[in-house]
Amino acid sequence: MGHFKFTSRQKHSIPVTVLQITDYFNWFDQQAEHHQNWLTSSGFQAAPGSTAQLADEKGRVQRLILILPRSDDEWPVQSLPFSLAENGCYELDLDSRDPQYFRTALSWGMTAYCFDRYKKATRKPADLQVEDDALREALTIALEAIQLTRDLVNTPAEDLSPEGLERCWRSLAEQHHAECHVIEGEALIAERFPAIYAVGRASEVAPRLLELNWGDLQHPKLTLVGKGVCFDTGGLDLKPPGPMRNMKKDMGGAAHVMGLAQMIMRSGLPVRLKVLVPAVENSIGSRAYRPGDVINTRRGLTVEIGNTDAEGRLVLADALSYACEESPELIIDFATLTGAARIALGADLPAVFCNSDREFEALYRASQSVYDPLWRMPLHAGYRSMLASNIADLSNIGNSSFAGSITAALFLNEFVDKEIPWIHIDVFAWNERSLPSRPKGGEAFALRAVFEYIKKRFPRN
Ligand code: BES
Ligand code: ZN
Ligand code: ZN
């Protein structure tokens, strides 16, 4: 069936009145008597998220009403695209410049998502028409990035190994005429990515570093880095069944930077974009790296392995070091890095670490302006000593069960040049249960926030 798409001008569409709850009674008073009677006698309750269909004298649906949630932290569309008539086509009765237009339409598109690679969808979602071409394009760019990120996260590790991810990578690069470069297997040693190699070497499918370059060489350099652990067994420090169950999503960081790169390239932002993904499987085997091993890194710092399940920071260490070598103007990484970030902020709020107050403030403003939440966590230098090792420069785990997401971020910080602004986003990439506009399964977080920030940070002349 493929993905939901916004419809352009073509069909008869049913208008959707979008109301703030506080405006409902005013609106009600202005309606025709038979509509008022219908709403009252059918027991319609005006509450955030509630909807009603109004019919004309012949009983045909004439208008839909949708009441917005009280807070901008909640999505307006719950199940509508799958509860309205399958062949229906709707259109928001709002000024296209009203920010609620974009938000409600995107919410519709996010709800209409269905991962149908292995199971046929039972029905098609109702259409939403967006007449304004520029608005439809902006909505499509955002929605397709979310769809790509969700699809990649939802795809099982068997079908999205480092090799499978490389295939998706090449197709993304091709679509946007970007240049693609891959370093695979033993070549990682020769090209000095020892940590990526160490984590991925036990897997049947060779580890690799995926690189994509796009844009005008004259433009400011922006580098995105994503954790691409295609499956995280925990390694020899094996995860128990519960925590391992969803570890196909451990390439969620890669899925996010691919979605974001697609947005940037499609919008033609004036940046010189580099995207890096270390793609590995953290597997068990006779070649697996072990607790107590000391591994080398691209930067030359040695790392004692306290736990083979803290693999994400190792592969990111080499990718971040490499990113710094060409002194970009900004580095942003996404990673499903720690369970601790979820303990601190829950699944829906990405934990953001940043070495520059100015950059974080700009990111936060952007996040607020597009209703895409995130929260800052500290790179508290006082906890750096938790990463000390007796026999190496660093340990890959903190020596305490506290502040796990912070020690992980501090570990990464060791591989980033101080003067390069860097943003690290620890995401969950998953909805544990279905919420409005957020179906259970793979999910994109902070994608629109970061895109908006980048758009403002690198303006067109
Ligand atoms: N991929 C996990 C982190 C994770 C777990 C993200 C669950 C989202 C949900 C990561 O590789 C990991 O296992 N981290 C360990 C680190 C620990 C061994 C220091 C963790 O968070 O428990
Ligand atoms: Zn792990
Ligand atoms: Zn992991």
Side-chain angles (χ1 to χ4, degrees), residues 42-349:
S42 65
F44 176 72
Q45 297 283 338
S50 56
T51 64
Q53 299 186 59
L54 303 177
D56 63 14
E57 316 76 52
K58 294 206 166 140
R60 291 172 300 214
V61 179
Q62 186 182 31
R63 182 171 288 276
L64 177 76
I65 68 166
L66 164 64
I67 301 192
L68 292 171
R70 272 183 222 283
S71 151
D72 288 336
D73 290 339
E74 294 166 88
W75 286 103
V77 176
Q78 308 203 348
S79 59
L80 274 180
F82 292 113
S83 61
L84 296 167
E86 189 159 349
N87 293 322
C89 178
Y90 297 78
E91 183 168 19
L92 302 180
D93 191 3
L94 276 176
D95 185 326
S96 62
R97 286 162 304 186
D98 184 334
Q100 291 300 345
Y101 192 113
F102 189 94
R103 191 170 135 70
T104 308
L106 184 64
S107 181
W108 187 295
M110 286 166 68
T111 307
Y113 174 84
C114 179
F115 184 63
D116 58 4
R117 179 164 171 171
Y118 307 98
K119 184 181 179 180
K120 235 178 128 201
T122 45
R123 56 158 289 179
K124 118 180 202 332
D127 281 331
L128 187 69
Q129 178 166 315
V130 178
E131 278 196 38
D132 184 300
D133 290 336
L135 189 60
R136 195 178 56 257
E137 174 67 3
L139 278 162
T140 301
I141 287 176
L143 183 64
E144 288 187 355
I146 295 170
Q147 289 166 339
L148 173 64
T149 304
R150 285 176 176 177
D151 283 353
L152 288 167
V153 174
N154 283 330
T155 305
E158 178 67 13
D159 290 330
L160 201 83
S161 63
E163 194 184 353
L165 192 59
E166 178 184 333
R167 248 179 273 128
C168 299
W169 189 264
R170 289 190 184 278
S171 123
L172 177 68
E174 236 164 66
Q175 282 166 45
H176 300 278
H177 312 290
E179 181 228 53
C180 200
H181 184 63
V182 177
I183 303 172
E184 185 192 318
E186 305 282 322
L188 288 166
I189 299 287
E191 306 258 0
R192 292 189 302 112
F193 294 95
I196 298 176
Y197 184 78
V199 172
R201 73 187 187 198
S203 167
E204 181 76 22
V205 184
R208 58 206 76 198
L209 176 66
L210 311 177
E211 175 172 348
L212 175 156
N213 293 296
W214 174 88
D216 192 329
L217 287 168
Q218 308 306 315
H219 285 150
K221 290 182 197 142
L222 164 67
T223 300
L224 306 177
V225 180
K227 171 174 170 182
V229 175
C230 294
F231 194 79
D232 183 8
T233 64
L236 292 173
D237 288 309
L238 189 65
K239 282 182 186 293
M244 201 194 298
R245 174 64 180 85
N246 280 337
M247 280 301 126
K248 68 172 181 183
K249 78 174 173 78
D250 214 21
M251 33 53 70
H256 277 73
V257 294
M258 289 169 78
L260 192 54
Q262 179 174 282
M263 289 178 93
I264 292 169
M265 296 188 290
R266 263 193 81 159
S267 311
L269 295 193
V271 291
R272 163 73 184 157
L273 179 69
K274 185 186 286 292
V275 195
L276 299 171
V277 163
V280 303
E281 246 192 89
N282 189 17
S283 300
I284 291 182
S286 58
R287 280 173 43 78
Y289 77 131
R290 314 163 191 83
D293 281 354
V294 174
I295 66 167
N296 202 356
T297 59
R298 183 172 184 86
R299 195 166 254 252
L301 292 171
T302 55
V303 180
E304 185 181 12
I305 305 304
N307 191 315
T308 59
D309 198 8
E311 83 298 338
R313 61 196 77 181
L314 298 170
V315 297
L316 288 172
D318 276 358
L320 287 168
S321 306
Y322 177 55
C324 288
E325 286 163 19
E326 59 157 25
S327 302
E329 201 154 306
L330 178 65
I331 299 177
I332 305 174
D333 81 72
F334 279 83
T336 50
L337 200 63
T338 67
R342 276 33 294 165
I343 309 273
L345 297 175
D348 299 348
L349 275 181

